[in-house]
Amino acid sequence: MEQRPCVSQNVTGTIGAMRALTTTIVVVIVAVLLGAVPVLAAEPIPTVNLTSEQNAKVQTAWDTFASALSAKASCLTTPTVEGVAGFRNPLGGRAQYTRSTATVRINTDFIDVDRTATYTLWHEFAHHLDSVCGAKDALTTLFQEAEGMDPSIWYSTSQPWSKLPSEAFAAITASLLNRSHPTDPIYVTDEAVVLVADWEGIPAPSWATDTPVVITSSPTTTVPPTTAPPTTAP
């Protein structure tokens, strides 16, 4: 005779499993809301001329970046980070991104001693995101409306750094990961912050409304007025 399963036991087991699943989902949701979910390790990025400690700091910065930008996983490739002792770009900055080689060059002394190195890496990683995932094509018109920036100079070597939409985009992206207003000497609007957050799939910060935010009180005196940095060069 075929042995029939006990219906009451099956129902009880099913209910128990459903309760366990529900509890797990609730715990995960709460953890996400509280920011308690750990950053998932991304594919390691190639590095050149870095010590093991410097490499670890760079990898952690990339893990955080790639995890936050998981909505762009289909297009976000890994850049290369090259350490250069004493490095300075033409405007005095300690890092730069070159689109033609997908490489971030960064001052190794800066990585060792400056606590803002992670923010700087996020800024340069944002230039890479822009390059490989098409932020320019997706956001040019929107940036013109939100920032009043000329869409024809998203990248330019003949315009002031502070007027380039690509730099505003990078500054906003880094600020979203830093959960604070952009610290770069550039003017952005909260409307632009919301636009970038939406495109990147990152929750917009609570302070981002449609009112202007002046990052520097006098951009014309705090931003180098001549040539754009190599982060914007092909």
Side-chain angles (χ1 to χ4, degrees):
M1 181 177 67
E2 180 182 3
Q3 184 177 6
R4 296 178 179 274
C6 176
V7 175
S8 61
Q9 289 179 347
N10 281 355
V11 171
T12 301
T14 301
I15 293 175
M18 292 178 64
R19 285 176 177 170
L21 177 60
T22 302
T23 300
T24 300
I25 293 174
V26 170
V27 169
V28 170
I29 291 175
V30 170
V32 169
L33 293 176
L34 294 178
V37 174
V39 174
L40 298 178
E43 178 184 350
I45 59 176
T47 59
V48 180
N49 298 332
L50 296 179
T51 65
S52 57
E53 292 79 7
Q54 293 166 346
N55 183 73
K57 190 169 187 176
V58 168
Q59 295 294 343
T60 297
W62 175 251
D63 286 346
T64 302
F65 186 90
S67 181
L69 275 297
S70 59
K72 298 299 180 184
S74 62
C75 58
L76 183 58
T77 58
T78 55
T80 297
V81 175
E82 178 185 1
V84 181
F87 174 78
R88 291 279 182 172
N89 67 37
L91 293 183
R94 289 169 287 192
Q96 73 176 39
Y97 173 75
T98 303
R99 286 186 289 133
S100 60
T101 59
T103 300
V104 173
R105 302 182 75 195
I106 187 167
N107 188 321
T108 50
D109 303 324
F110 178 50
I111 298 178
D112 288 334
V113 302
D114 200 311
R115 64 184 179 84
T116 64
T118 295
Y119 183 91
T120 298
L121 283 166
W122 288 341
H123 181 107
E124 302 307 327
F125 291 158
H127 284 304
H128 179 67
L129 170 72
D130 174 11
S131 178
V132 299
C133 292
K136 175 181 180 294
D137 295 334
L139 298 174
T140 288
T141 301
L142 297 175
F143 252 75
Q144 181 182 24
E145 297 172 355
E147 291 279 276
M149 290 181 166
D150 184 349
S152 67
I153 59 167
W154 185 274
Y155 307 114
S156 176
T157 56
S158 61
Q159 295 293 325
W161 179 85
S162 60
K163 292 185 178 181
L164 297 177
S166 59
E167 293 297 339
F169 170 81
I172 290 171
T173 300
S175 74
L176 289 172
L177 271 66
N178 201 44
R179 299 181 182 179
S180 66
H181 287 281
T183 60
D184 303 86
I186 194 167
Y187 179 89
V188 302
T189 64
D190 285 348
E191 182 182 1
V193 173
V194 173
L195 290 172
V196 172
D198 181 67
W199 182 78
E200 293 178 342
I202 299 176
S206 59
W207 48 262
T209 62
D210 288 334
T211 57
V213 175
V214 179
I215 305 308
T216 58
S217 58
S218 181
T220 56
T221 58
T222 57
V223 178
T226 53
T227 307
T231 52
T232 62

